[in-house]
Amino acid sequence: DVKVTQSSRYLVKRTGEKVFLECVQDMDHENMFWYRQDPGLGLRLIYFSYDVKMKEKGDIPEGYSVSREKKERFSLILESASTNQTSMYLCASSSGVNIQYFGAGTRLSVL
Amino acid sequence: DAKTTQPPSMDCAEGRAANLPCNHSTISGNEYVYWYRQIHSQGPQYIIHGLKNNETNEMASLIITEDRKSSTLILPHATLRDTAVYYCIVRPSNTGNQFYFGTGTSLTVIP
């Protein structure tokens, strides 16, 4: 079974803090994705990566950056957290253009 | 940019078949139909996908109409653990980008 592991299920941070969300997959997938999910808005793509050290902006990259130094790990960085970044963050991975497998999600609250 | 229409909610009695409809009248020839579900506070879970033939796996069956403008996901014997939001997504086969999740159908399985 594919396993996508997100480092935290719940996080509480203060406005202005730098926040790291980590995601690890164990299936040697080339592609990894970061989404956020908000009520009424569905899932929105923040960033994705096709390979190590490669990244592409999704629909809502503002206020976020990413890092992919190893194939299995994709990190989402909030440089200076703001209250409007309170959300559920979901990581996914896939091989080729096919099925995306999701992690359990990280619910981030920024106070 | 969801290209699908689903009813917002449905109920199903435990042990009965749950039939979840999806309209995708503007589907293109190279677009697949994917189904995911999301149990409360968890990440989306892949269920099944297909192009034009009916598909079946250990979780569900997918019936696609001949004109491919609609499909039905069938859970043959619904259990309480099938209570979730079900998402129908259409997506080209030649892209590794995101899945566009709409608002889905909230299925409640009733004891």
Side-chain angles (χ1 to χ4, degrees):
Chain A
D1 275 355
V2 176
K3 188 151 188 173
V4 179
T5 303
Q6 295 185 228
S7 53
S8 305
R9 289 301 310 273
Y10 302 94
L11 273 180
V12 180
K13 297 292 181 180
R14 297 208 174 272
T15 302
E17 278 192 79
K18 190 169 185 176
V19 181
F20 292 86
L21 303 183
E22 306 286 346
C23 176
V24 177
Q25 50 94 4
D26 67 357
M27 285 301 292
D28 202 35
H29 284 169
E30 312 89 70
N31 308 316
M32 296 189 75
F33 306 81
W34 275 107
Y35 295 84
R36 64 177 282 178
Q37 184 175 28
D38 301 288
L41 296 177
L43 274 72
R44 293 179 290 168
L45 183 67
I46 304 171
Y47 268 97
F48 58 100
S49 169
Y50 288 134
D51 203 348
V52 175
K53 296 193 185 295
M54 294 186 67
K55 60 184 179 184
E56 296 285 344
K57 293 181 179 179
D59 293 335
I60 52 163
E62 296 79 18
Y64 303 95
S65 62
V66 290
S67 173
R68 192 155 180 214
E69 296 297 318
K70 293 184 178 181
K71 191 175 187 180
E72 67 270 19
R73 186 180 299 270
F74 192 35
S75 303
L76 180 70
I77 304 155
L78 286 66
E79 295 289 343
S80 177
S82 63
T83 55
N84 63 10
Q85 293 178 310
T86 291
S87 187
M88 167 75 102
Y89 289 87
L90 291 159
C91 175
S93 74
S94 73
S95 178
V97 298
N98 215 326
I99 303 159
Q100 289 187 15
Y101 296 91
F102 285 81
T106 297
R107 190 167 294 279
L108 173 67
S109 296
V110 182
L111 306 179
Chain B
D1 190 23
K3 303 179 184 179
T4 63
T5 304
Q6 299 177 254
S9 63
M10 293 179 64
D11 293 338
C12 177
E14 188 178 16
R16 304 295 294 267
N19 297 286
L20 293 96
C22 180
N23 287 323
H24 31 80
S25 58
T26 61
I27 193 169
S28 300
N30 69 340
E31 289 183 317
Y32 284 73
V33 180
Y34 288 79
W35 283 84
Y36 278 75
R37 73 180 182 184
Q38 188 172 22
I39 296 168
H40 183 63
S41 293
Q42 296 184 24
Q45 177 189 23
Y46 166 78
I47 302 173
I48 199 168
H49 75 288
L51 183 63
K52 53 185 174 181
N53 297 322
N54 297 337
E55 302 287 343
T56 295
N57 64 19
E58 66 278 4
M59 290 182 69
S61 295
L62 173 60
I63 308 298
I64 303 174
T65 58
E66 193 167 340
D67 63 7
R68 302 211 319 125
K69 293 186 176 182
S70 65
S71 60
T72 301
L73 179 75
I74 301 172
L75 309 177
H77 306 286
T79 71
L80 300 180
R81 288 181 295 179
D82 292 322
T83 292
V85 178
Y86 287 77
Y87 297 97
C88 169
I89 303 157
V90 295
R91 182 170 176 265
S93 60
N94 60 348
T95 175
N97 286 3
Q98 63 185 299
F99 280 81
Y100 284 102
F101 285 74
T103 52
T105 296
S106 178
L107 175 70
T108 301
V109 180
I110 301 168

